[in-house]
Amino acid sequence: EIVLTQSPDTLFVSPGQSATLSCRASQSVSNNLAWYQQKPGQAPRLLIYAAYTRATGVPARFSGHGSGTDFTLTISSLQSEDFALYYCQQYNNWPPLTFGGGTKVEIK
Amino acid sequence: QVQLVQSGGDLVKPGGSLRLSCAVSGFNFSDYHMSWIRRGPGKGLEWVSYISRSGKSIYYADSVKGRFAISRDGANNSLYLQMTNLRVDDTAVYYCARSLGYATGFYHDAFDLWGQGTQVTVSS
């Protein structure tokens, strides 16, 4: 099973600043990695797939980078609606499909 | 409207059974692989089960294997999760989700459409 480790657990950021979230895989997942945003009481929303491709309707301030075992999600100029929980997910080697433990982005 | 509408969550006792449903609308259900994913209290997302668009390929997380059964009904555009021998640690919000499918020339098992979630609570 591929384990995804996200860091940090919580990231405190001021509105308008940028945030960089990390996701590390226990073995290579090539570029078969996705990022999701989840807000309280809502279903997750796909942000990024294939490591760097934005899903339909996702603002350009969200960008994904990386391949192999190390990935980042960068949110530039954080807006109020961006404060949420973020998960990475690999779909390179499964079952099982696996998710990281999540990073919470909070207002500083 | 492209959407997944879930139903079936409830409070059940340990050892009990429950069936979750996910009604699909706005797209061709038979074109997409589908999954169930859950999030337990204070926990992250956990993939539970997958069914291919044909229904011929089915996979489960080890934590539910032998207790849960995924199925799909093309005539009724619905996805199901039959849960038996439920345990306290099955307590979670359960989501149905659609695989993105082919994009940028490759197949992606990322989830681009999610149901609203349904609460399953297992408690005596």
Side-chain angles (χ1 to χ4, degrees):
Chain A
E1 173 177 332
I2 295 179
V3 176
L4 298 179
T5 302
Q6 290 188 243
S7 61
D9 291 337
T10 307
L11 192 57
F12 293 92
V13 186
S14 300
Q17 299 298 304
S18 67
T20 298
L21 290 63
S22 173
C23 177
R24 178 164 289 178
S26 59
Q27 63 189 78
S28 175
V29 298
S30 185
N31 69 337
N32 293 310
L33 188 107
W35 289 93
Y36 300 86
Q37 176 192 68
Q38 188 174 30
K39 298 179 181 179
Q42 296 184 18
R45 171 196 179 196
L46 178 65
L47 297 175
I48 301 284
Y49 64 94
Y52 59 84
T53 303
R54 275 189 300 276
T56 303
V58 174
R61 64 180 182 273
F62 291 91
S63 62
H65 296 90
S67 67
T69 60
D70 290 297
F71 300 86
T72 57
L73 174 70
T74 299
I75 313 168
S76 61
S77 189
L78 268 136
Q79 307 296 301
S80 58
E81 61 267 30
D82 300 334
F83 292 95
L85 193 52
Y86 292 84
Y87 293 97
C88 57
Q89 176 232 335
Q90 70 82 22
Y91 51 94
N92 187 68
N93 189 351
W94 67 280
L97 290 159
T98 53
F99 291 88
T103 290
K104 190 173 185 180
V105 178
E106 290 200 352
I107 299 175
K108 187 175 183 180
Chain B
Q1 186 178 359
V2 176
Q3 61 180 0
L4 305 174
V5 178
Q6 298 180 227
S7 59
D10 206 347
L11 169 64
V12 295
K13 293 186 183 334
S17 298
L18 201 58
R19 189 175 87 152
L20 306 183
S21 299
C22 174
V24 166
S25 61
F27 64 94
N28 192 348
F29 182 45
S30 63
D31 285 345
Y32 291 88
H33 306 325
M34 302 291 293
S35 285
W36 289 95
I37 295 153
R38 67 186 181 185
R39 185 180 175 194
K43 297 181 181 180
L45 297 171
E46 179 189 16
W47 169 78
V48 173
S49 183
Y50 160 100
I51 185 167
S52 65
R53 54 189 178 183
S54 68
K56 291 181 179 178
S57 294
I58 287 176
Y59 304 109
Y60 298 98
D62 286 346
S63 58
V64 306
K65 202 173 293 183
R67 301 187 299 121
F68 289 12
I70 191 171
S71 62
R72 61 192 297 159
D73 181 348
N76 289 303
N77 285 332
S78 291
L79 176 73
Y80 304 102
L81 186 68
Q82 179 69 48
M83 303 184 292
T84 61
N85 193 18
L86 281 159
R87 305 170 182 166
V88 171
D89 61 1
D90 292 319
T91 296
V93 176
Y94 285 73
Y95 299 96
C96 57
R98 182 182 79 174
S99 289
L100 174 63
Y102 282 100
T104 66
F106 296 92
Y107 192 88
H108 302 278
D109 277 302
F111 303 109
D112 71 328
L113 183 66
W114 295 67
Q116 82 277 17
T118 189
Q119 177 70 49
V120 173
T121 302
V122 185
S123 175
S124 55

